[in-house]
Amino acid sequence: MRYEMMLPRQIRTAIAANTPVVLPLGVLEYHGEHLGVGMDTLAVTRALDLLEKEAELVILPPFYYGAASYAVEPPEGTGSVQVDSTALHPFARELFTGLLRVGFRNIHAFIHHQTENFATGMPTDLAFKFGARQAIFAFLEKTRGEGWWGDAKMADYYAQQAGGGDPFNWIKIHPLMTRETIGQYPFDHAGEGETSLMLAMCPEAVDMSLISEERWYTQSAREATAATGARGRDLILAHMRRVLGLPEAATG
């Protein structure tokens, strides 16, 4: 279900069912001459298009305006849009606060941009992680009062935490590709891996005739195939199903 299309009664039903609420999180960044600048976000949105056919999800409008940086190319004529993380963090905090006030307690964001460093964090995912934590702390203090954690009702907090049921699991930020996925699939910037993903998931954002040999990071893109991309797509979908608590894909 697309959030912007939902009726209030459908929102209430999703809240009661604890349906996963998913934010596609990304950037607009130069990916060579042969790929669309929205590649990092399109990988997330197209994966969600597929998951939406399998299970109940609430899919929020995608956020494309992350911290792309100009590390790859300057923006003039290339299309990269850089929004500093200092602006992203307050936005994330307010967005997550709003979603908590609506009533959602099973909120997830998926990001592909710069996630080879996800364990330590990069500007966009760190801004949204910090915003999520601040939103949860403020929401709990507002709704439960100061001293909420020390209250006798929280005596089972550590048991809840071990089982994933504590309030700090209300909002989770995930990489689109885990370390395990990266070990099985070429992870790159506009090379074979990302070009293959787009050939499989969003072919209208690819023009193979424009691949340039001038930039080192696009040289492997000529090896890209839709079949390779389908393998990456399946690894991504399996990971997303696991973290969202969805059934595994049917086989046979």
Side-chain angles (χ1 to χ4, degrees):
M1 297 177 287
R2 304 294 164 147
Y3 186 71
E4 65 273 23
M5 299 294 291
M6 294 174 71
L7 303 178
R9 63 176 177 81
Q10 293 174 308
I11 292 172
R12 291 190 289 271
T13 298
I15 292 168
N18 203 32
T19 302
V21 176
V22 186
L23 171 66
L25 180 58
V27 298
L28 296 167
E29 181 187 30
Y30 183 75
H31 279 75
E33 296 296 309
H34 67 291
L35 287 181
V37 295
M39 183 274 147
D40 285 339
T41 320
L42 289 167
V44 181
T45 59
R46 292 304 172 97
L48 288 170
D49 289 345
L50 297 172
L51 285 183
E52 187 181 22
K53 298 174 183 177
E54 301 178 8
E56 286 293 311
L57 294 173
V58 174
I59 302 175
L60 297 168
F63 183 82
Y64 276 88
Y65 302 103
S69 91
Y70 301 137
V72 174
E73 297 283 343
E76 289 77 12
T78 65
S80 293
V81 177
Q82 158 68 10
V83 178
D84 193 84
S85 61
T86 57
L88 296 176
H89 156 246
F91 169 82
R93 183 187 65 225
E94 296 304 315
L95 171 62
F96 291 134
T97 297
L99 293 172
L100 290 172
R101 288 199 61 180
V102 169
F104 295 124
R105 300 292 184 269
N106 191 10
I107 303 165
H108 303 260
F110 285 91
I111 182 170
H112 179 58
H113 179 63
Q114 297 178 332
T115 48
E116 71 274 20
N117 293 298
F118 192 78
T120 52
M122 293 295 271
T124 304
D125 57 86
L126 284 175
F128 276 77
K129 288 175 187 174
F130 187 37
R133 283 291 179 263
Q134 284 194 311
I136 291 170
F137 266 111
F139 183 80
L140 289 168
E141 188 168 304
K142 180 177 180 179
T143 57
R144 301 185 184 183
E146 293 181 354
W148 65 268
W149 189 87
D151 190 273
K153 294 177 182 178
M154 293 300 296
D156 64 346
Y157 170 77
Y158 289 110
Q160 290 183 40
Q161 189 178 52
D166 72 282
F168 296 103
N169 281 302
W170 289 348
I171 306 171
K172 297 179 180 178
I173 316 297
H174 311 279
L176 190 66
M177 288 187 172
T178 64
R179 296 306 304 173
E180 292 75 15
T181 300
I182 293 172
Q184 302 175 63
Y185 185 82
F187 190 95
D188 53 36
H189 179 80
E192 178 188 4
E194 290 196 333
T195 304
S196 293
L197 272 184
M198 287 295 94
L199 287 173
M201 300 173 75
C202 188
E204 61 270 36
V206 187
D207 188 337
M208 294 291 283
S209 71
L210 296 177
I211 295 172
S212 172
E213 299 287 340
E214 295 178 3
R215 294 172 172 85
W216 68 267
Y217 54 87
T218 62
Q219 290 175 1
S220 67
R222 294 200 181 278
E223 307 302 318
T225 66
T228 297
R231 183 164 56 85
R233 175 201 63 205
D234 292 346
L235 289 167
I236 287 168
L237 292 175
H239 159 59
M240 296 178 84
R241 291 187 193 101
R242 283 193 298 272
V243 299
L244 294 173
L246 304 180
E248 294 183 6
T251 58

